[in-house]
Amino acid sequence: SINALQAETGTHIDVQRASDVARGALTRQVTITGGDARQQARCVELVHAELVKLVDVAAHCAVPTPTITRDRNEQEEYERLR
């Protein structure tokens, strides 16, 4: 669950509401905040793993790798920790 992922990673996850996207849209924005760069990266990995579990294998759907938008300081910290 989102709550479990937040507790495990020390981050906060916001998922765009279905009512905020066009009818029939197949994607929603997921925003991960809080924690440090390492915690956010781990959260992205875990969210991605959860999304992969939801993929309909019969339809051969693929889940794109999520991206994170960071400001310059956050990006520098992320690069330093990698």
Side-chain angles (χ1 to χ4, degrees):
S1 75
I2 291 175
N3 289 337
L5 293 176
Q6 292 176 142
E8 181 176 340
T9 61
T11 61
H12 179 78
I13 303 168
D14 281 318
V15 180
Q16 186 177 25
R17 295 179 188 275
S19 61
D20 292 340
V21 296
R23 176 178 260 188
L26 300 177
T27 61
R28 291 196 223 168
Q29 181 173 333
V30 176
T31 304
I32 299 169
T33 57
D36 60 25
R38 185 172 285 154
Q39 289 169 304
Q40 289 179 358
R42 178 66 179 145
C43 187
V44 168
E45 291 172 3
L46 294 174
V47 167
H48 185 252
E50 289 300 314
L51 290 173
V52 168
K53 290 178 189 177
L54 299 174
V55 172
D56 181 3
V57 177
H60 303 289
C61 294
V63 176
T65 302
T67 59
I68 300 175
T69 303
R70 301 182 184 95
D71 67 27
R72 185 194 321 209
N73 292 336
E74 290 171 332
Q75 184 63 32
E76 289 172 357
E77 176 69 7
Y78 174 76
E79 306 255 337
R80 186 179 70 75
L81 294 172
R82 279 177 59 187

